[in-house]
């Protein structure tokens, strides 16, 4: 594109010269027929009007052409000179009227920052005004409206000055603006940094995974050894004083450590669940099965479970995991019941706007969410130390929900109860199957 | 040949000294006549198997070992076409389902024991061995 610019310019000037030359020939031809049409301007007249009169006079007759000859008649113009001048000014006007159009188009198409928009508009006005002054230069050759010409010049001056101030005003901001090349290099640099960070994170993630593996596996090994050594000793426990008690305590300690590590293992296994297949697990069926698994606990604590579940409701979670979720939440509700009351657990399930929801509401002890909200679904977090627990149930539940694109929320009030809200991933249009 | 066959020689391939110490006692407490030998890691095991004329009848093989782990050893063993008489039992502290499944996918593996070894687990394993 830039390659053609000088060529086009040259071509324009050539055309212009040709046009002027042609006009010159014609004029010479005409002049031969009517000589003496050329007039010369006056040398100047003494003007004795008061200043204020001059002003009112000026504006009252702004289109007046009375006191001036047309430019053709002012001075001695060779036709070539005249037409060269006219055509040049005309072309200037033409391009000055095109540029605002382009600017306006740019403004319309591009997201120009607010502080620059004003300058754009001023530029548009500035160039339009400049164009008008050149147009007047053309018109005056025939129509000597010098007052109008002056007024337009003044208007142009005002807009120009406003543009200057505005430009100076945005100069600091525009200096900060990056050229596409600068932007490109910034993007490249940022991308590089981002990549570095990603690699770093991947490395950390790998280390964490390894750490988790070490915790779960390598801690187990010495524990297993202690256990077997204790077993060996135990076979000769009659030789120890208080042997029974000592071994009982050692076994208890070993079991506690084992349970912790097992809990950690189950968490790790669930964290590594990666499922892409679509599941249509029926909620009511899964709940029924789960209730059978924990039947003993329910009967022992005399818990009452009421369900109101759409029998066709299905969710995109494998059956075994949905069962885990139910088990965790229901056993929690029963375990953390109020000491003076039996559990009443309401389980509701429905689908609205394609999103399956399950709510599990209990009348248990509840929890102070203002204090514990952050920690509530955390790993190894315990909130009621008088009840046995390993602190992984809710952590696993939340992880499972999130693995399958869902969320879990809790509402709770101390001494009133808690409601867990399970929101599952949306069903994409497919009808739920019973 | 006795119907209720028992292993004459058992190898422990494990880098865990304590575990080896206890396992050896447990095995010999059950049956003094069984020879128990220890190889401390997969590399030692490979070295031994490549030379020996008298391979063990049963190996208790740990998974997590330095240099060459249990699975790598089994892969190598399968590639070498060594004496197919030796049976293996994986014994590890890992309770991961994936480890159990992987163990049982090997032809020579007859059982998976979660550590620590005790008399009951050993008896169970020997029963499987004799049932082969």
């Amino acid at each position: 594109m830039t390659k053609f610019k000088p060529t086009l310019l040259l071509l324009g000037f050539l055309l212009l010269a040709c046009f002027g030359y042609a006009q010159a020939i014609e004029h010479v031809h005409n002049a031969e027929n009517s000589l003496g049409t050329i007039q010369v301007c006056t040398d100047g007249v003494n003007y004795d009007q008061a200043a204020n009169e001059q002003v009112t006079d000026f504006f009252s007759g702004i289109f007046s052409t009375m006191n001036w000859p047309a430019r053709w008649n002012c001075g001695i113009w060779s036709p070539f000179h005249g037409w060269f001048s006219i055509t040049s000014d005309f072309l200037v006007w033409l391009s000055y009227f095109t540029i605002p159009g382009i600017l306006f188009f740019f403004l319309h198409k591009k997201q120009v920052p607010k502080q620059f928009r004003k300058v754009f508009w001023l530029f548009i006005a500035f160039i339009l005004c400049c164009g008008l002054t050149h147009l007047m230069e053309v018109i005056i050759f025939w129509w000597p409206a010098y007052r109008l010409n002056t007024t337009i010049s003044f208007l142009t001056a005002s807009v120009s000055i406003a543009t200057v101030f505005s430009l100076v005003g945005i100069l600091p901001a525009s200096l900060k603006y990056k050229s596409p090349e600068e932007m490109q290099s910034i993007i490249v640099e940022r991308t590089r940094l981002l990549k570095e960070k990603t690699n770093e994170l991947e490395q950390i993630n790998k280390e964490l995974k390894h750490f988790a593996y070490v915790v779960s596996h390598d801690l187990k090994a010495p524990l297993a050894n202690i256990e077997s050594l204790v077993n060996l000793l135990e076979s000769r426990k009659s030789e120890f004083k208080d042997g029974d008690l000592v071994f009982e305590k050692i076994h208890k300690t070993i079991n506690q450590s084992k349970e912790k590590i097992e809990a950690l293992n189950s968490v790790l296994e669930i964290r590594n669940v990666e499922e892409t297949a679509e599941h249509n697990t029926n909620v009511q069926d899964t709940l029924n099965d789960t209730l059978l698994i924990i039947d003993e606990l329910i009967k022992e604590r005399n818990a009452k479970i009421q369900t109101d579940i759409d029998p066709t409701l299905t969710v995109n979670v494998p059956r075994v995991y949905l069962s885990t979720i139910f088990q965790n939440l229901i056993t929690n509700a029963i375990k953390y019941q109020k000491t003076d009351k039996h559990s009443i657990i309401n389980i509701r399930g429905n689908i609205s706007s394609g999103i399956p929801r399950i709510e599990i509401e209990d009348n248990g002890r509840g929890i102070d969410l203002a204090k514990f909200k952050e920690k509530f679904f955390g790993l190894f977090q315990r909130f009621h130390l008088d009840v046995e627990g390993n602190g992984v149930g809710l952590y696993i539940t939340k992880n499972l929900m999130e693995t399958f694109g869902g969320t879990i929320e809790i509402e709770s009030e101390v001494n009133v109860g808690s409601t867990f809200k399970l929101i599952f991933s949306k069903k994409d249009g497919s009808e739920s199957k019973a | 040949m006795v119907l209720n066959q028992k292993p004459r020689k058992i190898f422990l391939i494990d880098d865990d000294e304590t575990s080896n110490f206890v396992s050896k006692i447990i095995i010999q407490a059950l049956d003094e006549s069984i020879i128990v030998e220890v190889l401390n890691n997969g590399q030692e095991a490979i070295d031994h198997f490549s030379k020996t004329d008298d391979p063990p009848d049963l190996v208790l093989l740990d998974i997590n070992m330095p240099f060459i782990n249990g699975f790598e050893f089994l892969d190598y063993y399968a590639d070498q076409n060594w004496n197919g008489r030796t049976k293996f039992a994986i014994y590890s502290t890992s309770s991961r389902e994936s480890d159990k499944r992987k163990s049982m996918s090997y032809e020579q593996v007859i059982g998976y024991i979660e550590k620590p070894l005790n008399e009951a687990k050993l008896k169970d394993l020997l029963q499987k061995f004799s049932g082969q």
Side-chain angles (χ1 to χ4, degrees):
Chain A
M1 190 67 192
T2 42
K3 229 163 66 183
F4 291 104
K5 263 188 195 158
T7 327
L8 277 174
L9 213 63
L10 205 69
L11 209 72
F13 270 110
L14 263 172
L15 271 172
L16 212 64
C18 288
F19 182 70
Y21 192 69
Q23 288 297 321
I25 293 169
E26 198 185 328
H27 257 266
V28 169
H29 193 69
N30 288 347
E32 278 169 0
N33 300 330
S34 57
L35 276 169
T37 48
I38 297 165
Q39 284 181 18
V40 180
C41 281
T42 54
D43 282 338
V45 175
N46 285 333
Y47 217 86
D48 53 4
Q49 236 177 342
N52 59 336
E53 275 177 46
Q54 290 180 31
V55 175
T56 33
D57 184 45
F58 178 92
F59 285 109
S60 59
I62 201 155
F63 293 109
S64 162
T65 57
M66 251 175 18
N67 297 331
W68 307 274
R71 188 170 273 174
W72 271 124
N73 304 329
C74 184
I76 301 169
W77 292 91
S78 78
F80 172 74
H81 185 183
W83 280 106
F84 198 22
S85 170
I86 289 167
T87 322
S88 301
D89 276 322
F90 184 77
L91 284 178
V92 171
W93 169 75
L94 210 61
S95 41
Y96 278 22
F97 262 57
T98 318
I99 291 169
I102 296 167
L103 284 182
F104 182 77
F105 181 75
F106 184 80
L107 208 57
H108 182 69
K109 283 280 170 194
K110 275 275 181 192
Q111 283 274 326
V112 177
K114 217 177 169 188
Q115 77 250 46
F116 295 143
R117 292 189 85 85
K118 199 177 125 201
V119 171
F120 262 83
W121 282 114
L122 276 169
F123 244 97
I124 288 174
F126 161 73
I127 293 174
L128 278 176
C129 286
C130 285
L132 273 181
T133 61
H134 284 274
L135 184 65
M136 280 313 288
E137 293 294 318
V138 171
I139 292 171
I140 275 172
F141 268 83
W142 292 275
W143 186 53
Y146 277 94
R147 286 178 177 175
L148 181 64
N149 188 28
T150 305
T151 311
I152 289 172
S153 288
F154 176 73
L155 191 72
T156 309
S158 313
V159 175
S160 306
I161 289 168
T163 312
V164 168
F165 277 105
S166 185
L167 266 178
V168 170
I170 63 151
L171 196 61
S174 46
L175 279 177
K176 279 187 205 148
Y177 258 74
K178 314 286 187 222
S179 70
E181 287 77 20
E182 282 175 297
M183 280 308 257
Q184 184 71 30
S185 70
I186 288 172
I187 290 169
V188 167
E189 173 64 10
R190 295 264 162 91
T191 313
R192 194 185 61 77
L193 285 176
L194 203 63
K195 241 184 213 159
E196 242 171 52
K197 272 270 173 283
T198 312
N199 287 344
E200 229 171 81
L201 281 176
E202 268 170 12
Q203 185 58 33
I204 290 171
N205 196 26
K206 230 165 130 186
E207 279 165 21
L208 274 177
K209 265 191 180 164
H210 179 71
F211 175 76
Y213 187 78
V214 167
V215 169
S216 71
H217 176 271
D218 292 18
L219 279 189
K220 253 174 113 178
L223 195 63
N225 284 339
I226 292 172
E227 191 182 5
S228 54
L229 287 170
V230 169
N231 287 339
L232 272 184
L233 278 180
E234 202 176 9
S235 58
R236 292 159 212 169
K237 72 180 169 193
S238 51
E239 295 165 28
F240 299 99
K241 193 174 175 246
D242 293 328
D244 282 333
L245 194 63
V246 170
F247 282 106
E248 192 193 312
K249 285 206 182 299
I250 292 173
H251 278 301
K252 198 179 166 198
T253 313
I254 291 172
N255 282 338
Q256 280 169 345
S257 311
K258 263 170 130 178
E259 270 170 27
K260 267 272 193 256
I261 294 170
E262 278 313 317
L264 189 68
N265 266 326
S266 58
V267 169
L268 285 176
E269 252 173 65
I270 286 193
R271 283 198 73 100
N272 287 330
V273 170
E274 272 173 37
E275 282 271 0
T276 44
E278 180 85 13
H279 299 274
N280 272 310
T281 304
N282 183 278
V283 173
Q284 182 73 67
D285 288 353
T286 313
L287 179 62
N288 292 344
D289 290 351
T290 311
L291 291 179
L292 281 179
I293 298 172
I294 54 174
D295 189 48
E296 207 173 306
L297 179 71
I298 295 170
K299 282 192 177 133
E300 184 192 313
R301 301 294 187 91
N302 225 341
K304 198 172 170 196
I305 293 174
Q306 299 162 340
T307 63
D308 174 17
I309 294 171
D310 174 353
T312 64
L313 182 65
T314 64
V315 293
N316 183 21
V317 174
R319 198 182 178 94
V320 50
Y321 293 131
L322 183 62
S323 178
T324 305
I325 291 169
F326 273 137
Q327 239 180 91
N328 282 333
L329 294 178
I330 297 169
T331 50
N332 269 4
I334 297 174
K335 270 159 68 180
Y336 303 109
Q337 71 191 21
K338 278 183 271 189
T339 38
D340 56 337
K341 257 190 188 167
H342 292 302
S343 289
I344 299 172
I345 301 165
N346 280 300
I347 304 173
R348 294 177 289 271
N350 56 52
I351 185 163
S352 68
S353 326
I355 299 172
R357 290 164 205 268
I358 299 175
E359 284 188 12
I360 299 174
E361 182 191 353
D362 67 47
N363 61 341
R365 300 185 197 183
I367 186 155
D368 188 351
L369 285 179
K371 264 195 212 158
F372 298 122
K373 184 144 193 153
E374 296 297 316
K375 289 184 172 180
F376 195 67
F377 290 102
L379 182 59
F380 292 141
Q381 297 293 339
R382 301 292 323 278
F383 303 98
H384 303 287
L385 298 180
D386 55 317
V387 179
E388 290 249 329
N390 56 16
V392 299
L394 286 175
Y395 180 82
I396 287 178
T397 303
K398 183 167 190 273
N399 263 286
L400 280 177
M401 286 302 294
E402 285 170 0
T403 300
F404 295 99
T407 55
I408 181 167
E409 289 167 12
I410 178 185
E411 283 169 10
S412 189
E413 202 176 318
V414 175
N415 281 326
V416 177
S418 306
T419 305
F420 286 91
K421 294 183 175 179
L422 307 172
I423 299 148
F424 294 87
S425 66
K426 193 172 177 166
K427 299 256 161 188
D428 6 295
S430 61
E431 277 301 301
S432 51
K433 282 173 261 169
Chain B
M1 195 172 268
V2 200
L3 191 70
N4 206 355
Q5 197 184 359
K6 66 167 193 183
R8 186 182 57 85
K9 185 154 97 175
I10 294 180
F11 270 21
L12 305 174
I13 303 178
D14 192 347
D15 62 314
D16 187 331
E17 249 179 75
T18 314
S19 167
N20 290 337
F21 168 76
V22 179
S23 299
K24 194 170 174 178
I25 292 177
I26 290 172
I27 294 168
Q28 294 189 322
L30 189 73
D31 188 338
E32 255 183 311
S33 67
I34 297 175
I35 303 163
V36 182
E37 278 181 37
V38 173
L39 297 168
N40 286 303
N41 56 57
Q43 188 57 54
E44 264 186 37
I46 286 175
D47 291 345
H48 179 88
F49 274 87
S50 59
K51 280 185 288 195
T52 186
D53 300 326
D54 182 23
D57 308 293
L58 180 63
V59 171
L60 296 186
L61 178 65
D62 184 29
I63 297 174
N64 278 279
M65 289 183 288
F67 315 125
I68 292 174
N69 70 31
F71 292 134
E72 285 163 344
F73 174 77
L74 282 177
D75 290 334
Y76 190 82
Y77 185 92
D79 284 347
Q80 296 300 313
N81 271 326
W82 280 328
N83 186 344
R85 194 166 60 107
T86 306
K87 297 295 171 201
F88 290 84
I90 301 294
Y91 84 141
S92 163
T93 49
S94 170
S95 55
R96 288 194 300 186
E97 273 308 314
S98 56
D99 281 343
K100 288 177 195 169
R101 269 202 305 274
K102 189 168 180 188
S103 301
M104 296 316 291
S105 71
Y106 287 94
E107 205 188 319
Q108 317 92 308
V109 174
I110 59 169
Y112 185 97
I113 295 174
E114 207 177 308
K115 280 184 182 178
L117 183 67
N118 59 29
E119 201 186 311
K121 290 178 190 171
L122 180 64
K123 275 185 177 161
D124 189 46
L125 178 67
L126 292 183
Q127 205 137 38
K128 276 184 191 152
F129 179 84
S130 63
Q132 290 291 312

